[in-house]
Amino acid sequence: MSSVLQKPIIHDASAFVGMRKAGKLAAQVLEYIAPFVTEGTSTDELNTLCYDFIVHHGAVPAPLHYRGFPKSICTSVNQVVCHGIPGAKRLKKGDILNIDVTVIVDGWHGDTSTMFAISPIAPQHQKLMDTTKQALDMAMALVRPGCFLGDIGHAIQSLVESKGYSVVRDFCGHGIGRLFHDAPEVLHYGKKGTGLCLQEGHFFTIEPMINMGRPEVRILKDGWTAETRDGKRSAQYEHTVGVTATGCEIFTRLED
Ligand code: MF3
Ligand code: CO
Ligand code: CO
């Protein structure tokens, strides 16, 4: 259902407290797993490490058994756009991958993902990742009451298309809170001044998937893995944010 038809929840101060905790743990999972993302490691080994870390912290990995998803994180390597299922395949030099973590803490969801590289990687792949991260940062900088979701989509699309990349249309960001995926839909392309007008208390993710080539994806027979139709690489970063009176709080970013 489109975001204009389904009204997103306006969350209160206690919800911000809950999301802060969930977001922080999700970010800590990515920080924890980073040193293990090395040549020769399998994505299933990364899954097990993340599962153990999450459960040890009294939280639940939201993807596990979600609509039949079999693992606790998504690991999307090279031409995989999103929803890659951890498996026996080992990482090799030149790979880039997204690890997407969603945890449930006291009923609240924190959802974040980042890119990793198995060095050395080609400069063009580094540039794809850098631009995707820049697009997410630029989008989050726009979030404040009165901003339209279309403004955010437009900013992401303009930046990445100016570099010759494309925005994946088949997946979007989403409202989040006590539910993993809620209204609104957060498109990573669009027109300024269209869509939902943001208000203080809206919670959602921004998670642009950016392709080096064409935007089209196909889903593999496992029912989950989405990869680029043209086989070229894709990158994604994700944060969970809450709209405040003056801007936004990034629940899934750790202070340095
Ligand atoms: N974390 C993903 C997102 O950003 C969703 C993964 S659903 C799963 O929305 F079932 F594949 F885990
Ligand atoms: Co998400
Ligand atoms: Co995610």
Side-chain angles (χ1 to χ4, degrees):
M1 191 182 287
S2 97
S3 53
V4 284
L5 298 177
Q6 206 185 344
K7 250 207 162 102
I9 298 170
I10 305 289
H11 293 277
D12 64 11
S14 72
F16 276 82
V17 174
M19 290 299 279
R20 225 163 264 150
K21 219 173 143 189
K24 183 176 181 182
L25 183 67
Q28 286 171 331
V29 177
L30 290 178
E31 183 181 61
Y32 162 75
I33 202 64
F36 297 102
V37 185
T38 54
E39 185 186 8
T41 306
S42 73
T43 50
D44 199 41
E45 286 162 357
L46 299 176
N47 175 75
T48 300
L49 288 163
C50 289
Y51 172 86
D52 290 344
F53 183 92
I54 291 164
V55 169
H56 177 82
H57 285 81
V60 174
L64 188 60
H65 310 314
Y66 177 79
R67 300 184 181 195
F69 192 79
K71 299 284 176 171
S72 296
I73 58 171
C74 297
T75 52
S76 301
V77 182
N78 296 338
Q79 78 286 355
V80 178
V81 170
C82 64
H83 302 166
I85 302 173
K89 209 164 150 199
R90 296 186 179 281
L91 296 170
K92 58 182 194 306
K93 284 195 185 80
D95 284 347
I96 61 169
L97 71 148
N98 174 279
I99 299 183
D100 192 336
V101 168
T102 312
V103 297
I104 311 173
V105 179
D106 302 334
W108 296 100
H109 289 74
D111 187 6
T112 183
S113 78
T114 194
M115 296 298 293
F116 297 89
I118 311 301
S119 299
I121 61 164
Q124 54 173 350
H125 297 148
Q126 186 64 52
K127 196 181 146 209
L128 171 71
M129 295 194 293
D130 292 348
T131 303
T132 306
K133 187 169 208 261
Q134 194 189 343
L136 173 57
D137 287 341
M138 179 184 281
M140 292 190 298
L142 294 175
V143 175
R144 57 171 179 78
C147 171
F148 290 86
L149 283 182
D151 301 350
I152 290 171
H154 177 79
I156 294 168
Q157 182 177 18
S158 303
L159 174 72
V160 308
E161 290 183 354
S162 78
K163 312 264 183 187
Y165 303 134
S166 64
V167 177
V168 171
R169 306 297 205 270
D170 299 66
F171 301 97
C172 55
H174 48 92
I176 185 167
R178 290 198 175 277
L179 293 178
F180 191 171
H181 294 109
D182 200 358
E185 283 186 339
V186 180
L187 306 182
H188 303 112
Y189 58 92
K191 288 187 174 46
K192 283 185 190 173
T194 65
L196 180 72
C197 182
L198 295 178
Q199 295 175 52
E200 184 176 358
H202 282 149
F203 293 170
F204 56 90
T205 72
I206 309 177
E207 48 181 300
M209 282 141 277
I210 305 304
N211 293 355
M212 287 197 74
R214 301 277 314 158
E216 291 80 15
V217 309
R218 78 165 139 248
I219 309 294
L220 302 191
K221 285 191 202 116
D222 61 25
W224 283 102
T225 310
E227 53 173 52
T228 57
R229 281 197 173 261
D230 64 13
K232 295 188 180 168
R233 291 189 183 194
S234 186
Q236 180 181 30
Y237 290 83
E238 175 176 26
H239 276 301
T240 298
V241 305
V243 183
T244 64
T246 55
C248 80
E249 180 170 346
I250 303 170
F251 296 124
T252 47
R253 178 174 278 170
L254 299 175
E255 301 139 53
D256 10 50

